[in-house]
Structures are given as structure tokens and as C-alpha cells.
Amino acid sequence: DACEEAGTAVTGGQTVLNPWPIIGGVATSVVSEGEFIFSDGAQVGNSVVLTKPLGTQVAVNVHQWRTQNNTFWKDIVEKKIITEQAAEDMMHEAVCAMVRLNRN
């Protein structure tokens, strides 16, 4: 249903046994030479297309560090960069952004 809504199809994949569902996707496009701008060729005034909000990966990383209680998280707590509640809120916002169809 989601693929139909997005105007696409599932064309491949793999099966992995995991304790939680993992769903990812890749979008490809075919363009003529000159239609694509490499990041080192970007100029002021060029459009930037984001598929998720800036900071989404940071929120995911912080969540992983927090749940693993690793040295990155301990450093964040020690330096009072963010609270545990803020980290949870960041992850919630990231998940909400990632489950929405990027279609306007």
C-alpha cells in the first residue's frame, strides 16, 4: 500500500532474521550530464533537497550512545549538553520524520 501511495514498487531485497523490523530504501534517478551538481560544485543559490530533517542522524547516534551507555553518552551527560529526556525527544522526532513518506 505504501509503495502504491509513493508511486513505486519493491524490486528486490533481502531477508534478515532480526529481533526488530528493519526497513530501508534507496531512490535512484537518471539525469543527463550537467543536470547533477556534485557537492564540491555547489554554489550559493543552488537548491538542496533533504530527505529527512537535519539532525536526524545525530538523534539516532545519541539514542544509540544513550542505550549503550558508552563513553560518548557519558561525556554528553558530564558536560550537560542535553538531558536524557531531550535525547528521548530527539529520537522520537527522528522516528516520526523517518516513517513519513517524503512526498509533497
Side-chain angles (χ1 to χ4, degrees), residues 46-58:
N46 289 145
S47 296
V48 176
V49 178
L50 303 175
T51 58
K52 56 188 169 192
L54 290 173
T56 301
Q57 187 60 54
V58 173

Side-chain angles (χ1 to χ4, degrees), residues 3-23:
C3 287
E4 215 171 271
E5 181 184 346
T8 190
V10 175
T11 59
Q14 68 185 56
T15 304
V16 177
L17 293 177
N18 216 27
W20 57 86
I22 295 178
I23 301 171

Side-chain angles (χ1 to χ4, degrees), residues 53-66:
L54 290 173
T56 301
Q57 187 60 54
V58 173
V60 172
N61 290 351
V62 169
H63 172 75
Q64 290 175 334
W65 299 338
R66 186 176 63 82

Side-chain angles (χ1 to χ4, degrees), residues 27-36:
T28 58
S29 180
V30 177
V31 295
S32 300
E33 189 174 333
E35 290 182 297
F36 180 83

